[in-house]
Amino acid sequence: MRTVPRVPIKPAQVATVTSAKPLALDNLAPNEDCIPTRPLCVPEQSRSELYLAGAIFLLSFLYLCIFRHYTDMDPDEGIVLQGAQRILAGQVPYRDFFSFYTPGSYYALALVFRIFGSSLAVARTAVALTGALLSIVTYLLARRVCSRTVALTLTVLCTLTTLPYRFLVLHNWDSTLWACLALYCAVRVLEQPTWKWTFAVGLFASLTVLFEQSKGTGLCLGLGIGFLTICALDGRKRWLNRAEWLALVVGFAIPLAITFAYFASQRAASIMLSDWLWPLRHYSQANRVPYGYQNWSDETRHVLFGTGSLLGRLVQALAVSPCLWIPALPLVALGWLGYWMVRAPRGHSAEGRSAEGKIAYYILVAAVYVGLVLSVVITRADIVHFMYLQPLNCLVLAWLLDGDDIPGRFFRSARPFLAAYVVIALLAFGMAPLAATTSARERLATRRGTVTTREKDMVVDYLQAQVPEGATVLVYPYLPLYYYLTGTFSPGRYDYFQPGMHTLEQTDEMIRELATGRVGTVLFEPDFSGKVVHSWPGTPLTAIAEDPVADYIARNYRACRALSSSADWRFLFMVRKDRVCP
């Protein structure tokens, strides 16, 4: 049986830990002011902390809205946007169009479009809302073991560096939000184990799976390791009761049951499962990169480190330096997990009792973080995918910069210098996307609203002038954002196609669609193989040298005009050889 003492909370009161049970959090009575010397601060018990969290949400949202209209035509962004547009047109994922991840982002964005209208600004506003929620969760998790100053500083840096790094409509940000909410609720289970919090853990974990299956698997693995470790070290005194277990299972099962029931009613359940498992066989090879891979081309390295004055190079090196050490933070968290697992049995001592809350917190959070990073390592361990976990990266940084739970005199003396460097480097890192956004002067009128770009984009203007809205065109191989912005659709099931990742059967399927003669217009990027070398270095050379779809286009279509995108990528506007160029 578990007892939770009812202790009245007063503004200046400091409750003491009276229980000698290791890792037991039940006897923690958080005070309203969250004094840093407490074993574990629970900011939700402080009105001032809740006001601060609300201010963080509002200011973060307003800051992130600065990025709503800017685009550099990133190839990845159009996948979810165009998928949501297909759903609004009555199509069903997997059955009517291909996707190799779970359907959550498609339907969430389609719902937003249904309510507020389909435009890039509406979708980007939802992204800003996601970032603001991530900022709140980061603060509340960091504040539990860090001072208010450190927690607030790292939350601000999280806001500046997380979403602005790739302010795009992506399933990655959605799944990160659900994973962080699941972690937050799991921490609340440690502090106040009730069926409501366990239900929320199961619900958010299930949503994470439904928005990105790999991240959801890593989250569940981390939660399992964390809770089992805590229960083992605590002699199973913190084992959930029957009602809490039932709530956890029900919360996890409801979203999955609704999803399978819906797709079964659409006769798409089997193909859905096949597409979910598709990355295990086909995604990994082309996306296999070294741990912490930077995705820099030779030209990018030259611009960053080989041009400009010496002072300019130093500033650029400082601004990009977080890309080099952020992948090391999971290793820090892994060591942190091991340290507290060893430290936990000392809970019967006076020192151990004073750290009871922190031990359970550190074990759970570090285990979840490591589990999420493991999902990144298995899929694609480049810096971009580490940045999708930036709220948890900043959480580990908060532990380091607060430093009260790190032993050793050397670290205490070096901590001010480390803190100064981290703050300055992340500020410089976060200012780069802000400068790019605010300096963009080119305005581009699209069928999904007006956007701003750094350079003029000829592709959208020309395509909209030549083809009507709703027309069928092929953008090959990989820039689905053009479909969405111009209000056009690709032929068949594929809005994106990557040589070396998609299968020969899928290649044949696309060629058959072209052979029907329905596709009169093609936007073809002849230099795409140059991107493959540094973006997907694991791609087999044969896939680059022999591309059947590109060969079919070259044989059956003629180039009418060369067009350049805002990112200075070259496209050819092509029509079938039996037609006349416009």
Side-chain angles (χ1 to χ4, degrees):
M1 294 292 293
R2 166 188 315 113
T3 59
V4 182
R6 306 288 183 177
V7 180
I9 306 299
K10 298 180 180 180
Q13 182 181 8
V14 179
T16 59
V17 178
T18 58
S19 171
K21 294 190 299 182
L23 300 180
L25 301 182
D26 301 10
N27 296 306
L28 295 182
N31 65 82
E32 184 170 324
D33 293 327
C34 285
I35 298 174
T37 55
R38 294 279 298 138
L40 188 72
C41 169
V42 182
E44 292 81 358
Q45 297 289 343
S46 168
R47 183 174 299 176
S48 61
E49 293 286 353
L50 293 178
Y51 286 152
L52 181 56
I56 289 171
F57 171 81
L58 179 61
L59 294 176
S60 298
F61 178 75
L62 293 176
Y63 176 76
L64 293 174
C65 282
I66 295 173
F67 301 89
R68 288 188 309 154
H69 296 283
Y70 172 76
T71 178
D72 59 359
M73 298 299 172
D74 190 285
D76 291 339
E77 183 168 27
I79 297 175
V80 173
L81 288 166
Q82 189 65 4
Q85 202 63 33
R86 282 178 175 261
I87 290 173
L88 292 178
Q91 298 186 28
V92 176
Y94 316 114
R95 188 193 69 187
D96 299 320
F97 64 93
F98 173 76
S99 176
F100 58 79
Y101 47 81
T102 39
S105 293
Y106 293 122
Y107 281 95
L109 188 58
L111 177 61
V112 171
F113 284 165
R114 179 72 71 183
I115 297 172
F116 299 103
S118 179
S119 71
L120 187 63
V122 167
R124 292 286 191 83
T125 301
V127 175
L129 179 62
T130 297
L133 291 172
L134 285 171
S135 297
I136 288 183
V137 175
T138 301
Y139 177 77
L140 294 177
L141 289 176
R143 185 67 182 93
R144 280 168 157 76
V145 293
C146 300
S147 68
R148 180 180 295 174
T149 300
V150 170
L152 184 58
T153 299
L154 268 298
T155 300
V156 171
L157 294 175
C158 176
T159 302
L160 296 178
T161 59
T162 303
L163 269 298
Y165 176 76
R166 291 194 85 196
F167 199 86
L168 310 175
V169 182
L170 296 170
H171 67 288
N172 307 86
W173 295 128
D174 300 336
S175 57
T176 294
L177 173 62
W178 299 125
C180 288
L181 289 174
L183 174 59
Y184 171 78
C185 293
V187 170
R188 297 294 284 162
V189 169
L190 291 178
E191 299 162 353
Q192 187 181 0
T194 65
W195 70 267
K196 295 179 182 180
W197 286 119
T198 56
F199 177 85
V201 172
L203 178 66
F204 289 131
S206 182
L207 289 174
T208 307
V209 173
L210 289 176
F211 279 71
E212 185 184 335
Q213 64 268 43
S214 61
K215 193 174 294 179
T217 302
L219 170 68
C220 294
L221 177 64
L223 287 171
I225 293 174
F227 276 115
L228 288 175
T229 301
I230 292 170
C231 291
L233 295 173
D234 200 23
R236 296 173 63 91
K237 294 186 177 70
R238 296 196 50 78
W239 198 254
L240 300 179
N241 62 33
R242 184 177 300 177
E244 292 159 359
W245 270 114
L246 180 61
L248 177 67
V249 173
V250 170
F252 188 83
I254 287 177
L256 288 173
I258 294 174
T259 300
F260 276 92
Y262 170 74
F263 282 97
S265 69
Q266 300 297 318
R267 299 181 180 179
S270 60
I271 191 172
M272 177 186 71
L273 288 176
S274 176
D275 284 1
W276 288 8
L277 298 175
W278 186 89
L280 297 177
R281 302 187 302 272
H282 307 294
Y283 181 87
S284 300
Q285 181 176 3
N287 288 275
R288 186 177 297 115
V289 295
Y291 186 89
Y293 184 68
Q294 298 298 321
N295 295 321
W296 290 339
S297 64
D298 293 337
E299 180 182 358
T300 301
R301 292 188 183 91
H302 176 69
V303 171
L304 289 175
F305 307 112
T307 60
S309 63
L310 178 60
L311 178 60
R313 294 184 191 183
L314 291 176
V315 172
Q316 288 177 338
L318 177 67
V320 301
S321 62
C323 294
L324 303 178
W325 48 258
I326 282 176
L329 293 176
L331 304 179
V332 175
L334 185 61
W336 202 246
L337 176 62
Y339 171 79
W340 285 108
M341 289 174 66
V342 172
R343 176 87 178 269
R346 302 180 184 178
H348 289 289
S349 66
E351 178 186 358
R353 288 196 301 271
S354 68
E356 287 173 344
K358 288 185 177 180
I359 292 174
Y361 165 91
Y362 281 133
I363 288 176
L364 179 61
V365 176
V368 169
Y369 180 44
V370 170
L372 290 171
V373 170
L374 184 60
S375 70
V376 169
V377 172
I378 292 175
T379 54
R380 182 179 171 93
D382 65 350
I383 182 59
V384 174
H385 285 74
F386 281 108
M387 288 301 298
Y388 293 141
L389 298 178
Q390 182 68 350
L392 298 181
N393 297 335
C394 289
L395 189 58
V396 175
L397 284 174
W399 299 347
L400 291 174
L401 299 192
D402 186 79
D404 283 349
D405 298 313
I406 300 178
R409 184 177 302 176
F410 173 78
F411 181 81
R412 293 180 183 274
S413 60
R415 187 177 62 184
F417 302 98
L418 175 65
Y421 163 72
V422 167
V423 172
I424 294 173
L426 287 179
L427 279 175
F429 183 74
M431 289 301 101
L434 178 63
T437 300
T438 55
S439 63
R441 293 293 180 264
E442 293 289 338
R443 295 177 64 84
L444 179 63
T446 77
R447 289 168 178 157
R448 304 300 180 195
T450 301
V451 300
T452 59
T453 60
R454 285 178 293 178
E455 304 292 338
K456 184 175 178 60
D457 191 284
M458 300 172 59
V459 179
V460 172
D461 281 340
Y462 192 81
L463 187 60
Q464 290 183 148
Q466 301 304 324
V467 300
E469 186 171 0
T472 299
V473 301
L474 174 64
V475 180
Y476 187 81
Y478 187 17
L479 216 160
L481 184 58
Y482 278 147
Y483 292 127
Y484 179 74
L485 292 179
T486 61
T488 56
F489 289 89
S490 67
R493 302 177 61 242
Y494 302 99
D495 292 324
Y496 53 95
F497 194 91
Q498 185 175 319
M501 187 174 75
H502 285 76
T503 66
L504 292 177
E505 292 78 7
Q506 291 170 325
T507 300
D508 293 338
E509 183 180 347
M510 178 168 281
I511 292 176
R512 287 194 299 272
E513 287 288 343
L514 293 175
T516 63
R518 296 189 308 111
V519 186
T521 302
V522 172
L523 277 177
F524 178 59
E525 186 179 10
D527 301 326
F528 183 79
S529 58
K531 298 179 183 179
V532 173
V533 174
H534 62 83
S535 295
W536 300 280
T539 303
L541 295 178
T542 55
I544 301 175
E546 301 177 5
D547 183 353
V549 178
D551 293 341
Y552 183 90
I553 293 172
R555 291 193 307 268
N556 295 275
Y557 289 79
R558 70 176 71 193
C560 295
R561 184 166 179 178
L563 305 170
S564 61
S565 74
S566 59
D568 201 27
W569 297 330
R570 188 169 66 95
F571 285 84
L572 296 177
F573 183 89
M574 307 179 73
V575 299
R576 293 189 67 88
K577 288 186 175 180
D578 58 357
R579 300 186 182 184
V580 179
C581 287

